[in-house]
Structures are given as C-alpha cells and as structure tokens.
Amino acid sequence: YAAAAAEAAKWGILNHLVDSSELETFTYDLAQLIATKAPLVLSVVKEQLRILADASPITSDVFERIEALRVSVYRSADYLEGIRAFQEKRSPVFTGR
C-alpha cells in the first residue's frame, strides 16, 4: 500500500501522505487548522461536495445551486473580514455570517 500511496501523492491525488505512526496527530492537527477557518465557507464547501457526490453529470440546476452557495460566501461578512484581516496582516475573526 505504501508504494501505491506514494504514487498517488506523486500524481497529486492525495493532499497529504503521512506515516501510520503520525496519522492520529496529523489528523487532529489538520482538524484544528480547519476549525480556524470561516464556518460559513466550511459549510458551503461541505454542501458542494455533498451535491457533487450525488450528481453526475452536473445538470444546470446543480451548477446554479453551487453557484448560489458560492455567491452567499462572497456576500458574507466573513468574506469581508477575511479580506480585511489579510490586508491588515492579522488573524481573521469569523462569525459565521
């Protein structure tokens, strides 16, 4: 399995490849990092993945639903907060709105 995983990582199929002895620590660290991100964005990404998993091929209705989810993020207070925080070189404070 290690050779297959290394090959998948080489082709960009995997985001991360860690030894099994590091898996638990890596997973908790990644979850902690994800938890610092904007809650609205995380929920939209999860919803998009759910929609895409159920749709093949993508219909115009599915495309429009995904686009509406993205627009909701771009119009959110969290989006503006992320931009401001980046410009001010500080950590963002997301509220989920």
Side-chain angles (χ1 to χ4, degrees), residues 39-58:
L40 179 62
V41 172
L42 294 175
S43 67
V44 165
V45 168
K46 286 171 49 178
E47 179 65 8
Q48 288 179 90
L49 291 172
R50 188 194 65 71
I51 290 169
L52 290 170
D54 291 342
S56 73
I58 296 175

Side-chain angles (χ1 to χ4, degrees), residues 14 28 31 42 46 60 63 70 73-74 77 84-85 88 93 95:
L14 301 177
Y28 281 115
L42 294 175
K46 286 171 49 178
S60 61
F63 179 83
R70 291 175 181 173
V73 169
Y74 299 143
R84 277 193 217 104
E88 296 169 6
V93 179
T95 62

